[in-house]
Amino acid sequence: MNFKLIINIALHLLRARLKQTVVAGVGVTFGIAMFITLVSFMNGMNDLLDGLMLNRTPHVRLYNEIKPSENQPISYAENYKNNTNFIASVKPKDRGKAIYNCKSIIHDLKQDARIVDVAPKITAPVFFNSGTIEISGIINGIEVLAEEKLFKISEYIIEGQVADLLQNNSIIIGKGLADKMLLKKGDIIKVTTSKGNLASLKIVGISQVGISEIDDVMSYTSLVTAQKLLGEPTNYITDIQVKTYDISTAPALAEEFAVKYNLDTIDYQTTNSQFETGSSIRSIISYAVGIVLLIVAGFGIYNILNMMIFEKMDSIAILKATGFSGNDVKWIFISLSMVIGIAGGILGLVFGYIFSSIIDAVPFNTAALPTIKTYPINYNPMFYVIGIAFALVTTFIAGLFPALKASRIDPVEIIRGK
């Protein structure tokens, strides 16, 4: 088989029907370009949302949950202990949310090679007071440097610095809370705990995640300030946040730590199950739309090659009469379709990158997400590999069936028919 001759014949057939060839190539180019643009944008959007939610969530969280007593009085009675009972008179124990031996647990976790670092935290419901305004919210007492290292909370600070929380009696409040109470950086806000403790804290920053449910109630202060506010000792901690090197191990580690430390645990997948489902659906939709575009382009190539076979029956008959085998004719038309696929695919990658760059350069201005300046685009090289691979597969299949049909043409019947 002389592949050089086969390629020359295929190129000659392409030039003979240049308009149809260009149309088929444009179809492949458009399909690949839209696939690259759509997938890059949707995955960039997923990455943005991951930054807003998943990156702010510990991979494993250790805490104490209020739970009902497992053993009720009726369970101790010989006549009833093995039966199903619906009497529950012993209420949950008021053991509090504090994690006992927290320092030894944190030290042990930091020695674990699977863990990046650990950040202790205090979470407590409070009332924010400014003048006659009183709003319920949540105060987070954090170890400032550890929290910044693991969760990059500075990315969501629109006024002030995270390091300012190292000052005594300072607080960073959410944008929604600041707007409701007409507060700004430098103002004083009064905070009342559920036990009636009252403190005046200086606002050193405003944060904005872009999710109103968080921005309307959330605030940050240092771990020491939160302990003083709640009237608790320096070893009082309600949460231990863990970040792992391999995020996929979080569910297994959560189960392991629950047994090892006798604490309640929750992993990031359970915490953000609905969010992860949405990300997966968006990715599936983007890939599905891109694949449909390429399949449509494949049908266009199939139709063009089919028409070419009908119009070039005499040429095919002459080729076979001069010694070309059916296999040679088949590879002529497969080569023809692959040339369209390669040229269209490469141009599609180029235009896909150009379109993605244009979107990436468009300013993204929204009051809800002031820290995001442009539309998110993910330039993962794998998207381009998938795009060109699918273009080649689609055009190969589109050209294969007409090629098989051409290889079965009987030159004697064609010549007699003429």
Side-chain angles (χ1 to χ4, degrees):
M1 185 185 296
N2 190 334
F3 281 103
K4 184 177 180 180
L5 180 59
I6 287 174
I7 294 296
N8 286 334
I9 295 173
L11 293 175
H12 174 76
L13 292 174
L14 284 174
R15 288 193 296 268
R17 292 181 61 83
L18 187 58
K19 290 184 179 180
Q20 290 83 350
T21 301
V22 171
V23 170
V26 168
V28 176
T29 299
F30 178 78
I32 294 293
M34 290 301 100
F35 171 80
I36 295 296
T37 305
L38 184 61
V39 172
S40 298
F41 177 74
M42 292 304 293
N43 280 273
M45 182 65 70
N46 286 342
D47 292 341
L48 170 63
L49 296 176
D50 285 348
L52 292 175
M53 294 296 293
L54 297 185
N55 291 345
R56 292 176 58 83
T57 305
H59 296 171
V60 180
R61 173 178 166 239
L62 287 73
Y63 63 104
N64 272 325
E65 183 65 83
I66 297 177
K67 295 180 291 187
S69 300
E70 295 181 1
N71 295 317
Q72 298 294 328
I74 197 169
S75 301
Y76 296 101
E78 291 293 331
N79 296 332
Y80 299 100
K81 66 179 182 180
N82 295 323
N83 298 327
T84 301
N85 307 303
F86 298 96
I87 299 175
S89 59
V90 177
K91 302 303 179 185
K93 293 181 180 180
D94 185 16
R95 61 175 182 172
K97 294 183 177 181
I99 297 177
Y100 301 104
N101 296 323
C102 59
K103 291 186 177 180
S104 62
I105 293 174
I106 291 173
H107 179 268
D108 188 39
L109 290 171
K110 286 188 175 183
Q111 306 307 310
D112 196 319
R114 299 167 295 180
I115 294 174
V116 177
D117 206 350
V118 178
K121 184 179 179 181
I122 296 173
T123 303
V126 294
F127 289 100
F128 296 105
N129 306 279
S130 179
T132 58
I133 304 175
E134 183 177 84
I135 297 177
S136 60
I138 298 173
I139 193 166
N140 293 296
I142 60 174
E143 194 172 279
V144 179
L145 299 180
E147 194 81 12
E148 172 62 16
K149 175 184 176 181
L150 296 186
F151 306 112
K152 304 295 182 184
I153 61 174
S154 60
E155 295 180 359
Y156 307 101
I157 306 299
I158 58 176
E159 291 183 38
Q161 303 291 331
V162 174
D164 294 337
L165 286 179
L166 296 173
Q167 305 172 19
N168 290 329
N169 300 324
S170 58
I171 189 173
I172 292 177
I173 63 175
K175 179 68 163 54
L177 186 62
D179 290 342
K180 287 182 179 180
M181 305 187 76
L182 300 176
L183 296 171
K184 61 183 183 299
K185 179 185 173 184
D187 289 345
I188 302 297
I189 185 172
K190 293 183 178 180
V191 181
T192 307
T193 69
S194 58
K195 293 183 179 180
N197 298 340
L198 178 64
S200 296
L201 304 179
K202 181 181 179 180
I203 299 174
V204 295
I206 307 293
S207 68
Q208 186 172 14
V209 177
I211 302 173
S212 60
E213 288 80 2
I214 295 177
D215 293 332
D216 288 350
V217 299
M218 200 64 68
S219 66
Y220 295 94
T221 189
S222 68
L223 203 61
V224 174
T225 300
Q227 289 165 344
K228 289 180 180 178
L229 174 64
L230 298 171
E232 299 290 351
T234 56
N235 63 348
Y236 178 81
I237 289 172
T238 62
D239 298 82
I240 298 177
Q241 304 172 108
V242 177
K243 197 162 190 177
T244 63
Y245 285 104
D246 184 359
I247 194 171
S248 64
T249 63
L253 287 177
E255 295 181 5
E256 177 186 330
F257 295 155
V259 175
K260 184 176 182 179
Y261 302 116
N262 192 28
L263 291 171
D264 296 299
T265 60
I266 188 169
D267 62 272
Y268 84 99
Q269 289 183 353
T270 304
T271 305
N272 301 288
S273 56
Q274 292 181 337
F275 175 77
E276 282 204 321
T277 300
S279 296
S280 300
I281 291 174
R282 283 190 295 271
S283 296
I284 291 171
I285 291 174
S286 61
Y287 278 104
V289 171
I291 289 171
V292 168
L293 290 172
L294 293 177
I295 290 175
V296 171
F299 276 113
I301 296 173
Y302 172 80
N303 290 330
I304 289 171
L305 293 182
N306 237 3
M307 292 294 294
M308 189 178 293
I309 289 171
F310 279 111
E311 293 183 2
K312 298 295 181 180
M313 286 286 192
D314 53 345
S315 300
I316 295 171
I318 293 172
L319 287 173
K320 284 195 168 185
T322 56
F324 281 80
S325 65
N327 193 47
D328 292 334
V329 173
K330 179 185 72 175
W331 280 106
I332 288 173
F333 283 91
I334 290 178
S335 300
L336 191 151
S337 67
M338 292 304 292
V339 169
I340 295 175
I342 292 171
I346 292 174
L347 286 174
L349 296 183
V350 172
F351 280 105
Y353 179 80
I354 292 173
F355 294 156
S356 299
S357 300
I358 291 173
I359 294 174
D360 197 10
V362 175
F364 180 78
N365 297 318
T366 174
L369 294 170
T371 56
I372 308 300
K373 303 302 182 184
T374 59
Y375 284 93
I377 295 293
N378 187 332
Y379 294 99
N380 190 338
M382 185 55 62
F383 302 153
Y384 295 81
V385 174
I386 294 173
I388 191 64
F390 198 81
L392 296 179
V393 171
T394 303
T395 51
F396 177 81
I397 295 174
L400 178 61
F401 294 105
L404 290 174
K405 184 176 181 180
S407 68
R408 291 193 291 266
I409 291 176
D410 187 350
V412 177
E413 291 184 3
I414 297 300
I415 293 172
R416 283 178 178 175
K418 292 183 69 71

